[in-house]
Amino acid sequence: MMGKRNILKFLVLAFGLCIVAFAFGYGHNANQIDEHTIRYVLEQEPSTLDPAKSSTSPEATVQLQLFDGLVRLNDKGEPEAAVAKNWDVSDDGTEYTFHLRSHIKWSNGEPLTAHDFEYAWKRALNPDTGASAAYMLYVLKNAEDYNTGKAKASDVGVKAIDDGTLVVTLEYPTAYFLKLLASHGYYPVNKSAVEANENWGSNADTIISNGPYRLISWQHNGEMHFVKNDNYWDADEVVTKSMNWPISESQSTRLTLVEGGEADMMVEPPVADQERLEEAGLLYIGPMLGNYYYMFNVKAEPFTDPKVRKAFSMVINRHNIVKNIVKGGKKEAYAFVPFGMLESNGKDDFREVGRDLVYEDVDQAKKLIREAGYDEKHPLPEITILYNTSELHKAIAEAFQAAWHDAFGADVKLQNQETKVFLANREAGKYQVARASWVADYGDAQNFLEVFSAEDNDSQYENEEYNTLIAQIRETPDGAERDALMHRAEKMIFDESLIIPLYFTTQPYVTNGSVQNYFWTVLGLVDFKKAYK
């Protein structure tokens, strides 16, 4: 018999879960959820699911269920034929001819053709679109020139010869091009849907997709509901008929949903619970090519001075923060490009060759601050750390706050914002120092180095020498020369002290074991195409 105290605990838990269920709208879709429905808790409300305009990993995770490109990454991280059944490559490696499968359809039953890919890619590059993903297409001939107003759309190296044939011309041979094709920037979009509503990617009833699932409802900041896309070219491989994804930026809430039986999987459980979850056999570590770092606004005092930026980086004890706060199998970072990407020889790891590019030395940091003109009589100005709402981000910000106060006597404030607002303010340069992270769009070091090449990068960093170096990297065929250029570019990031690297990412997640046959891509996205319960 259950004692009074246990009854009370049960009622409190049940009441709490009822509140969670109400908050996430479970009652709304209760008739659509059965024991075979995959219930994954998404860690952030997507700003948009428009492949050209999205910019976060949660958005890419949703898009992976909704869209297919010409290729799709398999569980080994290698590109496999998807919408394209096969392709031919010219001898010089600059021209690809893709042959699409026959009778491909959009989720609404309309035909999907090579013209949809040409439209989508040129739309992403159109400067009027303001696409976050435009840079991902710069390997296409004249793509960057079109995106920067120096060429016409007709000059871009993508052309639908007919409904089933797409010819792609590159600026230069690109060894990672097929992997790049699997990223969201290269997904097709439905022209009718886009032109009918410029915000088509923000509501379930206006999203037309071509992947394993289609989105039938989206309660913003609440939940998303997917069903199998019967018009998908590989629909026979899609076993699951329904997925329900609650949305919460709270790690604790996500964990409560899984442990309370209201969801099956979630990512980034609270650090305080990870040891317990590991002992219970509920915690797993997935791969992710990415990093977590702090970026400086180089146009905001006191961080206009590279000496100050360097000093603030040198007093951060990465090992202690990762060990005691972050956990989750993360590895402290002393550079920007993570482990896991190879040099052109196919053997050596890029990170191991490049070695550490930043070090910790509190005494030297204090000396640099004095050289920058700050002392007891001339204290540093008030500093605000900007981060988006999360228990982990808050704990890390508090550790940085303490380190800077202890080393320099700095008056450091913390400011957390909802993710959409945070990203907008960071992009606009409305901050002094802010948390950031980068997860690879494709498995090549260049993808990380390009973060600081654009004139409108979030650090407000403008360096023509760096931009020229990135252009050289893009134009240099895969080989030792290109490797050397990329190492040189990464060193420049730290010569300028643009960032404080903290750790290289993994994807810790919790599952109750009910979902089978999913896998995590090297980009940290979970693929439920063939998954089932």
Side-chain angles (χ1 to χ4, degrees):
M1 182 178 293
M2 188 180 295
K4 290 183 178 180
R5 180 175 298 177
N6 287 332
I7 291 174
L8 179 60
K9 288 172 63 178
F10 173 80
L11 290 174
V12 170
L13 175 62
F15 179 69
L17 290 174
C18 285
I19 292 176
V20 171
F22 177 78
F24 287 103
Y26 280 110
H28 177 70
N29 283 319
N31 61 329
Q32 299 170 322
I33 299 175
D34 60 25
E35 69 273 18
H36 300 298
T37 297
I38 292 176
R39 303 169 301 170
Y40 173 82
V41 191
L42 192 65
E43 68 271 31
Q44 180 182 305
E45 164 75 10
S47 296
T48 179
L49 295 177
D50 182 338
K53 297 184 177 182
S54 61
S55 60
T56 69
S57 291
E59 289 166 347
T61 297
V62 176
Q63 290 167 335
L64 184 59
Q65 322 309 318
L66 298 178
F67 291 91
D68 243 4
L70 295 170
V71 302
R72 191 179 181 94
L73 296 183
N74 62 19
D75 57 0
K76 302 294 191 299
E78 295 299 321
E80 290 185 342
V83 176
K85 60 183 178 181
N86 53 49
W87 49 87
D88 306 308
V89 186
S90 64
D91 291 340
D92 66 358
T94 62
E95 185 172 284
Y96 287 70
T97 302
F98 293 93
H99 307 284
L100 275 58
R101 300 177 189 276
S102 58
H103 309 301
I104 299 288
K105 296 180 180 180
W106 289 102
S107 57
N108 65 354
E110 294 178 359
L112 190 158
T113 72
H115 298 280
D116 293 311
F117 283 92
E118 179 181 356
Y119 169 75
W121 297 4
K122 288 181 176 179
R123 171 181 175 263
L125 290 167
N126 187 331
D128 293 336
T129 302
S132 303
Y135 75 95
M136 296 166 62
L137 289 88
Y138 280 4
V139 297
L140 305 181
K141 189 172 182 62
N142 295 319
E144 184 172 11
D145 283 347
Y146 174 47
N147 187 236
T148 55
K150 301 173 185 176
K152 300 176 294 184
S154 58
D155 297 326
V156 177
V158 55
K159 180 67 176 177
I161 302 302
D162 53 44
D163 286 353
T165 310
L166 187 73
V167 177
V168 180
T169 306
L170 307 182
E171 284 280 2
Y172 40 80
T174 306
Y176 55 88
F177 180 57
L178 288 176
K179 290 184 179 179
L180 186 59
L181 282 177
S183 56
H184 64 88
Y186 286 86
Y187 290 154
V189 296
N190 184 283
K191 184 177 181 180
S192 298
V194 173
E195 294 185 347
N197 182 352
E198 65 175 330
N199 296 316
W200 68 276
S202 299
N203 292 286
D205 56 358
T206 53
I207 292 175
I208 297 175
S209 58
N210 74 314
Y213 299 92
R214 58 188 180 91
L215 189 63
I216 62 170
S217 69
W218 179 359
Q219 180 187 338
H220 292 286
N221 294 301
E223 66 173 0
M224 311 179 91
H225 197 87
F226 308 74
V227 295
K228 176 180 177 178
N229 177 14
D230 292 327
N231 287 317
Y232 181 47
W233 71 268
D234 202 21
D236 290 345
E237 293 293 322
V238 182
V239 180
T240 294
K241 295 182 178 180
S242 175
M243 296 196 299
N244 182 264
W245 291 17
I247 305 169
S248 176
E249 293 192 0
S250 167
Q251 294 169 290
S252 299
T253 298
R254 296 198 301 269
L255 182 59
T256 296
L257 288 169
V258 174
E259 293 199 294
E262 297 296 326
D264 305 310
M265 293 177 63
M266 58 83 69
V267 296
E268 297 291 350
V271 172
D273 293 283
Q274 289 187 12
E275 184 175 348
R276 172 182 65 81
L277 293 167
E278 186 174 9
E279 291 175 354
L282 298 173
L283 180 66
Y284 297 81
I285 305 295
M288 179 184 285
L289 283 176
N291 54 30
Y292 187 111
Y293 60 99
Y294 269 37
M295 62 165 52
F296 297 108
N297 181 347
V298 300
K299 294 184 177 180
E301 295 292 349
F303 301 118
T304 55
D305 190 333
K307 287 184 178 180
V308 175
R309 301 196 296 263
K310 185 175 183 179
F312 271 61
S313 174
M314 292 173 72
V315 300
I316 299 301
N317 190 320
R318 292 157 180 79
H319 176 75
N320 285 348
I321 293 176
V322 171
K323 178 183 178 182
N324 299 315
I325 297 176
V326 179
K327 302 183 180 181
K330 307 293 195 294
K331 182 177 179 64
E332 53 265 29
Y334 298 91
F336 192 60
V337 177
F339 294 90
M341 286 170 284
L342 300 180
E343 297 272 292
S344 59
N345 61 18
K347 299 178 182 178
D348 299 326
D349 189 282
F350 182 92
R351 176 73 284 119
E352 292 178 356
V353 173
R355 302 186 179 183
D356 294 344
L357 295 174
V358 67
Y359 63 95
E360 298 165 7
D361 188 328
V362 175
D363 290 337
Q364 179 65 19
K366 291 180 178 179
K367 181 180 178 181
L368 287 172
I369 288 295
R370 289 193 296 272
E371 290 177 0
Y374 297 104
D375 54 29
E376 291 79 4
K377 294 182 179 179
H378 304 89
L380 288 158
E382 181 179 287
I383 293 162
T384 300
I385 295 174
L386 182 66
Y387 65 95
N388 54 319
T389 305
S390 157
E391 295 99 321
L392 178 62
H393 300 333
K394 181 175 185 290
I396 291 173
E398 289 172 341
F400 276 57
Q401 178 187 44
W404 294 340
H405 175 77
D406 292 346
F408 313 126
D411 182 9
V412 183
K413 309 297 183 184
L414 306 184
Q415 182 179 13
N416 71 296
Q417 295 176 338
E418 185 270 330
T419 298
K420 288 183 182 179
V421 177
F422 163 78
L423 290 174
N425 282 332
R426 199 182 68 185
E427 182 178 357
K430 296 179 180 179
Y431 74 98
Q432 291 170 291
V433 58
R435 73 151 292 269
S437 59
W438 186 262
V439 177
D441 297 309
Y442 53 92
D444 188 89
Q446 176 182 321
N447 186 229
F448 288 84
L449 303 174
E450 288 181 323
V451 170
F452 299 98
S453 66
E455 292 183 0
D456 60 348
N457 69 75
D458 290 0
S459 285
Q460 314 302 306
Y461 176 64
E462 300 174 10
N463 187 317
E464 194 56 40
E465 180 184 355
Y466 189 84
N467 292 344
T468 299
L469 188 54
I470 294 299
Q472 286 181 269
I473 292 169
R474 291 171 181 159
E475 296 169 4
T476 302
D478 199 29
E481 181 184 356
R482 182 171 180 268
D483 293 339
L485 290 171
M486 290 196 292
H487 285 296
R488 180 181 161 196
E490 186 182 30
K491 185 175 181 299
M492 282 188 67
I493 293 172
F494 291 93
D495 288 343
E496 297 278 357
S497 297
L498 299 180
I499 65 168
I500 304 176
L502 182 59
Y503 62 80
F504 295 129
T505 54
T506 57
Q507 185 62 85
Y509 65 99
V510 174
T511 174
N512 59 18
S514 63
V515 183
Q516 306 295 316
N517 212 33
Y518 61 90
F519 70 89
W520 293 89
T521 74
V522 294
L523 308 182
L525 311 178
V526 59
D527 192 333
F528 290 115
K529 172 180 173 177
K530 299 180 180 181
Y532 61 88
K533 285 176 67 176

